Amino acid sequence: MENGCGNYEQESLVVELNQGVALAKQLKAQMSSEILAGETKGMLAERIHSCLEKALLILRLGGSMEQFHQHLVPSTTAPESPLSVIGSPKSEDLNPGIHVQQDSIELSKKRKMMPTWTDQVRACSENAAEGPPEDGYSWRKYGQKDILGAKHPRSYYRCTYRNIQGCYATKQVQRNDEDPMQFNVTYKGTHTCTLAPRSKSAPTSPQKQERNKQSNFPIMHYQQPPDMLLNFQTGLRVDIQSLENQETGFFFPTRDFGYENHAFTPSTVHNSHPSNSFPQSFIQSPATSESTYFSTSPCKVSTFGGVNYGQHFESDITEIISATTSGTNSPIIGIDYSMDPWEGFLSDNQAFPNSFSQAKE
DNA sequence: TTTATTTGACCTAC
DNA sequence: GTAGGTCAAATAAA
């Protein structure tokens, strides 16, 4: 990753990852000994979760600890509009016909530069005819096209808040020819909208009503290309899987929670986006008591841990932070234990070699 | 009345 | 010239 984050952020990443590894080892030891002293399994799992989550967030934010801290507190202000870069539709509104062509060209260029990634989403049986499961964003369909060589037409969607907030995220949905239950969803651009609830919009179906409910939360602003992060996560898979193999039933619910076993496989990693890096069930803090959480998107096949990740990311981070910053409130433990995600930040080992930084480049 | 969807036309890249 | 992508008017839905 090429960014100006400097050594400090890099070291922070290494520290976080080291801590995650150390805690995983600790948990593994407890699993074998069945001795619960001091920290419970749940606490350890939570801390591992927190460490890895922070590391991933840092990576997604371009390695910037400053941005990381900024994103810990959901902003109530609209994010900076991309319009300053790609031309303002508002200015077009004010001056119709003026510079429209030039702006169109600029927009076209910009689209080419937009990050693009593809998810494969399996539809639930009951709504297979309707389309892939919701991804949490509010999309407006603006076109449909028959594609040469494809049995099914491709649908084009853009963010509902494109005009309101200048969010130029788009997606294309195409049903898989061989497996009609499966959809290839290609996302282009990242959401810059704040996903404000549509006040006057009347959903056309109960499912859309549900979509609107899902959309009512702030989002992160993913800007980073996925490659480095994905490589990193691929590497992470090994140790964590070994934990799963010990039948913890906690990590990576690829069997128990409806996700197919596509997550974190190198063969599927390259097509994914950083916002999809973990299944939501993994992001979800175990300290929360959402009993129905894991069943929210049982039909999604993730190429890298769940296409729904972006949908819940920030809200989950908020939950994590709230859970981890308040040990006394944690339902998983009954003792006073600080779950501060920054606790011990600089205290652990150096299990991750410095060569990790080389892998980033 | 407002918002979303449909669909033919148009634009752009190859 | 063709295919993919987008626009925008017409239409539907709530």
Side-chain angles (χ1 to χ4, degrees):
Chain A
M1 180 187 301
E2 183 60 33
N3 55 50
C5 61
N7 289 334
Y8 172 69
E9 287 79 18
Q10 202 168 82
E11 289 171 4
S12 299
L13 272 175
V14 172
V15 168
E16 279 302 312
L17 295 170
N18 283 337
Q19 190 172 0
V21 169
L23 291 168
K25 287 179 180 177
Q26 203 174 337
L27 178 61
K28 186 177 179 180
Q30 284 204 4
M31 293 296 176
S32 58
S33 65
E34 291 297 324
I35 296 173
L36 298 177
E39 291 186 339
T40 65
K41 294 177 184 177
M43 292 160 55
L44 286 171
E46 173 71 7
R47 291 187 64 191
I48 296 168
H49 179 191
S50 177
C51 290
L52 296 176
E53 191 57 46
K54 282 188 294 183
L56 292 171
L57 183 54
I58 292 167
L59 286 171
R60 285 193 195 94
L61 296 175
S64 167
M65 292 296 292
E66 184 180 351
Q67 280 186 292
F68 175 79
H69 284 295
Q70 288 174 353
H71 279 81
L72 292 182
V73 180
S75 173
T76 55
T77 59
E80 182 178 349
S81 169
L83 298 179
S84 58
V85 176
I86 61 179
S88 169
K90 291 181 179 178
S91 65
E92 291 176 18
D93 294 339
L94 292 173
N95 304 288
I98 302 177
H99 303 308
V100 171
Q101 189 173 4
Q102 183 177 353
D103 286 349
S104 177
I105 294 172
E106 290 301 311
L107 185 60
S108 178
K109 290 177 181 177
K110 184 70 181 181
R111 280 173 187 147
K112 282 186 177 179
M113 299 176 66
M114 283 181 174
T116 300
W117 65 100
T118 301
D119 286 320
Q120 290 189 331
V121 182
R122 177 169 289 276
C124 298
S125 57
E126 65 258 34
N127 62 2
E130 190 167 345
E134 304 297 334
D135 59 10
Y137 291 104
S138 184
W139 299 101
R140 170 176 291 190
K141 187 175 183 176
Y142 66 87
Q144 181 171 305
K145 192 85 174 180
D146 288 324
I147 300 302
L148 194 69
K151 296 177 182 176
H152 306 286
R154 178 179 298 168
S155 297
Y156 299 88
Y157 298 85
R158 62 188 174 207
C159 181
T160 300
Y161 310 108
R162 177 191 177 99
N163 295 328
I164 300 172
Q165 299 184 22
C167 178
Y168 278 78
T170 65
K171 76 170 180 178
Q172 302 172 2
V173 177
Q174 184 154 25
R175 191 183 292 266
N176 194 309
D177 288 342
E178 296 167 354
D179 184 2
M181 294 289 289
Q182 189 154 324
F183 295 83
N184 294 328
V185 183
T186 300
Y187 295 89
K188 292 184 178 180
T190 54
H191 280 272
T192 59
C193 60
T194 54
L195 286 176
R198 289 171 289 181
S199 57
K200 291 184 178 180
S201 172
T204 56
S205 70
Q207 192 175 33
K208 288 178 181 176
Q209 291 179 354
E210 184 60 31
R211 176 196 338 187
N212 290 341
K213 290 177 187 175
Q214 292 176 357
S215 301
N216 189 14
F217 49 79
I219 64 165
M220 304 294 289
H221 306 133
Y222 309 112
Q223 300 292 344
Q224 297 303 317
D227 295 347
M228 185 276 286
L229 175 62
L230 298 178
N231 291 336
F232 156 66
Q233 287 171 322
T234 304
L236 273 184
R237 180 171 179 255
V238 179
D239 281 341
I240 295 173
Q241 268 203 336
S242 69
L243 285 174
E244 187 186 17
N245 291 339
Q246 301 218 5
E247 299 180 353
T248 64
F250 177 76
F251 287 101
F252 297 89
T254 55
R255 290 169 306 203
D256 297 335
F257 303 109
Y259 287 90
E260 293 189 12
N261 240 344
H262 293 196
F264 303 96
T265 57
S267 62
T268 57
V269 152
H270 68 284
N271 267 343
S272 299
H273 180 264
S275 66
N276 301 332
S277 43
F278 282 111
Q280 61 186 32
S281 48
F282 179 70
I283 299 300
Q284 175 75 11
S285 166
T288 63
S289 56
E290 278 296 331
S291 60
T292 60
Y293 184 81
F294 292 116
S295 63
T296 54
S297 299
C299 302
K300 295 188 178 180
V301 177
S302 171
T303 56
F304 192 29
V307 296
N308 209 22
Y309 185 62
Q311 167 185 348
H312 293 282
F313 191 77
E314 189 168 80
S315 59
D316 288 332
I317 287 293
T318 304
E319 291 178 36
I320 291 167
I321 298 304
S322 64
T324 54
T325 52
S326 177
T328 54
N329 291 335
S330 173
I332 60 171
I333 54 176
I335 60 177
D336 185 14
Y337 170 74
S338 171
M339 298 294 280
D340 185 346
W342 299 106
E343 184 185 23
F345 186 74
L346 301 173
S347 64
D348 276 335
N349 58 64
Q350 298 293 322
F352 272 83
N354 289 331
S355 58
F356 170 66
S357 60
Q358 296 173 349
K360 293 171 62 178
E361 302 165 357

